[in-house]
Amino acid sequence: PQPDNDQYKVYAEVNETLYDGGVIRQQKKLTAAQTALEQQRLSVQLYALKDRVNQLYFGILLIDAELKLNRLMENDIRAGMAQATAAVAGGTALKSSVDVLTAALLTAGQRTIELAADRGAYIAMMRLFINRPLDDSTVFIKPPPVHPPEDILRPEFGVFKYQNEMIDAQNGLLKAVNSPKVSVFGQAGYGKPAFNIFSDRFDPFYIAGVRLSFPLTGFYTLKNKRALLGTHRQGIALQRETFLFNTGITLQQQDAEMTKLQKIIRSDEQIVQLRTRIMETALAQLKNGVLHTRDYVREVNAADDARQERILHEVRLLKAEYDKQTTTGTATETTTDDSQNLIKDN
């Protein structure tokens, strides 16, 4: 018998995997690790904004302190002007004495204008960072001192963790791809011929079975791929050690800065007390006509400089404490209540 030269066949086939070697499971693990890694990287980027906000906030606190000190200096100059004006009226001083103090008061007023402009610029940037309605009347309160622990809890460690989990999932996927696969299949159709190739009739047919497949080509590259993943893992470990090393250096620098500022602040207190007494003595001498107004202005400026240095060092110390808290990763998330306590509308 000879088969017909014309043959026709229509069929449908169904395949169902019984065992895929764990490919789907490993792909899910890989996808989950990739998602967690991207989320953690976003957390790292957001955490980096904490330092920017710290810089702005303590910059505003420093400007507020300078404005307060500038107003105190203006009051001291006005007190001297009152004494000089009385001396001019009594004929014991020249009118130029009042002019010297007036010029000093105008200079202090210019300083106030500059500080107010700088404060407005800082507030505008802070408003963009925290997305809150702030203006020149907003009051920024100095936060309490903190004593951050030495433990490093930065979100970068989460990035290293999820990168290692990705490598674990990729290793598992390599193993699963090169594992045997078991599936069942079924095929049904209608054709001429069916299974009997010598039949000249259209007949239905079907077949079902179990299929076992074992990939071989993957074994040629499996060793190299695993070696590449091992290299990536070593790179992650190196990045982690480098991050710890750099963070440790930063913490040492911050500790040294805090120790230095604490010592300086102790001497600032004595300097301010001495300069204040000298200024008060100069004011009494100005009242009695035994001191020139230029000398009084010099003592006022010296007392103001001493107070400014003390305030500057206090704010720098507080900022260093919060910078260390940010460096170690122990800075807590600011709640709405905390924000309301530190930033208030006047």
Side-chain angles (χ1 to χ4, degrees):
Q2 297 291 330
D4 290 343
N5 291 329
D6 57 326
Q7 297 182 4
Y8 309 92
K9 185 179 293 185
V10 176
Y11 66 92
E13 184 173 346
V14 177
N15 291 277
E16 179 65 28
T17 301
L18 297 180
Y19 175 71
D20 63 352
V23 172
I24 295 178
R25 184 177 70 255
Q26 294 300 328
Q27 286 177 339
K28 289 181 178 179
K29 287 184 178 180
L30 180 60
T31 301
Q34 289 174 335
T35 302
L37 177 60
E38 293 303 319
Q39 291 176 345
Q40 192 67 22
R41 282 174 174 167
L42 179 60
S43 298
V44 171
Q45 294 175 357
L46 292 176
Y47 191 84
L49 296 179
K50 289 181 179 292
D51 183 63
R52 299 286 300 276
V53 173
N54 281 353
Q55 300 293 333
L56 291 173
Y57 195 90
F58 286 102
I60 295 173
L61 289 182
L62 182 59
I63 292 175
D64 287 342
E66 291 180 349
L67 283 170
K68 182 179 179 180
L69 293 175
N70 205 57
R71 287 192 291 267
L72 291 176
M73 186 177 70
E74 290 176 350
N75 292 335
D76 293 334
I77 294 174
R78 290 190 180 95
M81 288 179 62
Q83 299 297 333
T85 302
V88 170
T92 60
L94 298 175
K95 187 178 183 298
S96 60
S97 301
V98 179
D99 294 338
V100 171
L101 292 171
T102 302
L105 184 62
L106 291 174
T107 302
Q110 290 178 339
R111 178 60 177 165
T112 300
I113 295 173
E114 292 177 355
L115 291 172
D118 292 341
R119 188 179 190 272
Y122 273 68
I123 289 176
M125 289 186 286
M126 176 70 81
R127 182 169 57 243
L128 295 176
F129 273 101
I130 68 176
N131 193 27
R132 280 192 53 185
L134 307 176
D135 54 34
D136 293 339
S137 63
T138 303
V139 178
F140 292 80
I141 300 175
K142 185 163 67 174
V146 294
H147 303 284
E150 299 298 329
D151 297 334
I152 301 176
L153 304 174
R154 291 282 292 272
E156 285 83 352
F157 289 132
V159 173
F160 302 139
K161 171 188 173 184
Y162 292 125
Q163 284 177 332
N164 281 316
E165 287 185 2
M166 277 191 60
I167 292 179
D168 291 338
Q170 288 171 337
N171 265 320
L173 186 59
L174 282 177
K175 179 180 179 181
V177 168
N178 293 281
S179 298
K181 312 294 188 299
V182 179
S183 62
V184 295
F185 68 93
Q187 185 183 103
Y190 186 75
K192 171 191 172 184
F195 289 145
N196 184 3
I197 62 173
F198 299 108
S199 174
D200 58 355
R201 297 177 307 178
F202 282 90
D203 294 313
F205 65 90
Y206 70 91
I207 185 175
V210 178
R211 180 180 290 118
L212 173 65
S213 60
F214 194 84
L216 296 177
T217 56
F219 285 98
Y220 297 107
T221 59
L222 180 61
K223 183 178 179 180
N224 292 334
K225 289 181 179 180
R226 285 182 172 173
L228 182 61
L229 291 177
T231 302
H232 289 167
R233 192 186 296 277
Q234 292 175 358
I236 294 170
L238 180 60
Q239 291 175 8
R240 188 179 187 276
E241 292 301 321
T242 303
F243 174 77
L244 281 173
F245 178 76
N246 293 333
T247 304
I249 292 178
T250 302
L251 289 175
Q252 290 181 357
Q253 293 173 342
Q254 291 171 341
D255 288 336
E257 178 73 8
M258 291 166 59
T259 302
K260 178 188 73 175
L261 290 172
Q262 289 169 353
K263 294 179 179 179
I264 291 176
I265 289 174
R266 285 195 291 267
S267 63
D268 281 339
E269 295 294 338
Q270 299 176 355
I271 295 173
V272 169
Q273 292 176 4
L274 291 172
R275 285 298 183 184
T276 302
R277 286 203 299 266
I278 293 172
M279 184 187 65
E280 292 172 350
T281 302
L283 179 61
Q285 292 175 341
L286 179 66
K287 179 180 180 180
N288 295 325
V290 296
L291 184 70
H292 197 277
T293 52
R294 292 187 181 88
D295 298 327
Y296 174 72
V297 171
R298 184 183 66 247
E299 299 302 336
V300 170
N301 289 332
D304 179 70
D305 290 341
R307 288 192 293 256
Q308 285 189 8
E309 287 297 318
R310 180 185 63 183
I311 294 297
L312 173 63
H313 294 149
E314 289 175 350
V315 174
R316 283 176 56 186
L317 176 59
L318 188 61
K319 178 179 177 296
E321 293 174 351
Y322 278 86
D323 285 344
K324 182 178 179 181
Q325 190 181 57
T326 303
T327 301
T328 58
T330 56
T332 57
E333 294 294 333
T334 301
T335 63
T336 303
D337 292 339
D338 294 334
S339 179
Q340 293 290 347
N341 291 333
L342 294 177
I343 303 177
K344 297 182 179 179
D345 296 330
N346 192 7

